[in-house]
Amino acid sequence: MDNALFYAPYFRTNVILTSERRRHILFRHSDLGSQEQLDTIVSDTLRAPAIVQKSKTDEHGIVFVKWHPKLHNGKFLLVVVIDDPERKWVITAYSSHEIPEGEILWQ
């Protein structure tokens, strides 16, 4: 399993999903499907989020939120990106029925 890069217009740069974080997501959030399905919905969410907000649990975390009608007959995908000065990287992704509370940075 290789690292993947996804373009995020919000940052105007690529975001990395490391093989280690991908394995974590696939193991802990298996409802997101196969590696190919995960990559597709993460890419789509980073490229065209409905909402971008600050994480409430990590001062460097940025949460990208997008509704996916085919994800369990309709759920939000939340992709949490760590905004480090050296790189932007996905720490986790998970599905939710609700948008979490947090300061909205972009909508």
Side-chain angles (χ1 to χ4, degrees):
M1 200 178 297
D2 294 330
N3 294 342
L5 291 176
F6 303 107
Y7 186 70
Y10 177 81
F11 292 124
R12 295 188 180 113
T13 192
N14 288 324
V15 171
I16 189 168
L17 174 59
T18 65
S19 59
E20 184 274 328
R21 296 316 303 167
R22 185 189 281 129
R23 279 192 299 274
H24 162 83
I25 295 165
L26 290 170
F27 178 73
R28 300 281 293 220
H29 307 284
S30 59
D31 61 311
L32 299 181
S34 67
Q35 177 181 330
E36 182 178 303
Q37 291 167 319
L38 175 66
D39 286 357
T40 298
I41 60 175
V42 166
S43 176
D44 185 45
T45 301
L46 291 173
R47 191 176 54 252
I51 296 172
V52 179
Q53 62 188 44
K54 284 187 178 181
S55 170
K56 290 185 77 172
T57 58
D58 188 310
E59 67 177 302
H60 300 290
I62 305 294
V63 183
F64 291 74
V65 182
K66 184 168 186 174
W67 177 259
H68 289 272
K70 293 183 181 178
L71 184 61
H72 305 292
N73 295 317
K75 277 190 163 183
F76 292 98
L77 181 71
L78 288 76
V79 179
V80 184
V81 175
I82 301 299
D83 184 9
D84 282 337
E86 302 87 35
R87 68 179 184 158
K88 317 293 187 225
W89 57 282
V90 174
I91 191 167
T92 195
Y94 57 96
S95 63
S96 176
H97 288 291
E98 299 176 354
I99 297 172
E101 293 182 17
E103 180 185 340
I104 295 176
L105 302 173
W106 181 89
Q107 188 169 11

